[in-house]
Amino acid sequence: MDPGDWPGNLGAGLLPAPDGTCQGVFLRYDLFGGRGPAMIIGNLPEGSPARELGEGEVPFEVAQLLDALGNDEDVTVVETEDIPVMHDNNLLIVKRIKCSEGRISCVQFDRSDNVLVTIASWDRPITDDLYALLKPLPAEMFQQG
């Protein structure tokens, strides 16, 4: 992802593991000019504890988005749907996640290197155009340093 492709502010954070490996990379996109993030994009490698969810539990990125917005409502997953999307001339199977808070849009997909990508958006739909802006983070980012 190139920050120049996006208006607004883009920040990044890491989810470190005790052994020094990276358990996740999160991009926080603030379109609203300091009034809270519009979107959080997470990249979680296989084995990351943040990927383990209970029944009805929202993805980590949704919880982070709600926390950043100061929203302390109890939000759950109410429905999921797999949909096909074309990305770089490849078919991508995207899981749309419908949450009990209707202003949240959330999608997930697996990369070929088993990194789970989750996009959580507040009060904005996630359209197929968004996938054209995504560029994969290098797999080396998740290795022990």
Side-chain angles (χ1 to χ4, degrees):
M1 207 158 117
D2 182 351
D5 290 342
W6 301 71
N9 301 320
L10 184 66
L14 298 176
L15 183 60
D19 67 358
T21 59
C22 178
Q23 293 297 309
V25 176
F26 300 91
L27 303 173
R28 179 176 162 165
Y29 177 56
D30 178 6
L31 178 65
F32 302 132
R35 291 181 286 145
M39 185 180 307
I40 292 185
I41 302 172
N43 294 265
L44 299 173
E46 195 170 41
S48 173
R51 289 176 70 151
E52 299 170 15
L53 301 175
E55 182 70 29
E57 188 176 357
V58 297
F60 181 78
E61 296 79 359
V62 171
Q64 291 298 304
L65 182 64
L66 290 168
D67 186 56
L69 292 167
N71 185 330
D72 58 359
E73 293 180 35
D74 185 29
V75 177
T76 60
V77 171
V78 294
E79 184 181 338
T80 63
E81 175 188 14
D82 289 340
I83 57 168
V85 172
M86 289 303 292
H87 180 260
D88 288 339
N89 294 322
N90 294 308
L91 182 63
L92 185 65
I93 302 301
V94 174
K95 182 193 314 183
R96 286 201 187 273
I97 299 170
K98 183 177 179 183
C99 297
S100 58
E101 166 55 76
R103 293 172 287 183
I104 295 174
S105 296
C106 183
V107 297
Q108 290 183 322
F109 58 90
D110 281 308
R111 293 183 356 188
S112 60
D113 58 357
N114 294 323
V115 171
L116 177 66
V117 176
T118 302
I119 303 170
S121 172
W122 178 257
D123 212 19
R124 298 209 184 296
I126 298 172
T127 64
D128 292 354
D129 297 341
L130 175 64
Y131 303 110
L133 295 173
L134 298 177
K135 296 173 179 70
L137 297 171
E140 299 80 42
M141 190 172 260
F142 301 101
Q143 305 301 317
Q144 185 172 354

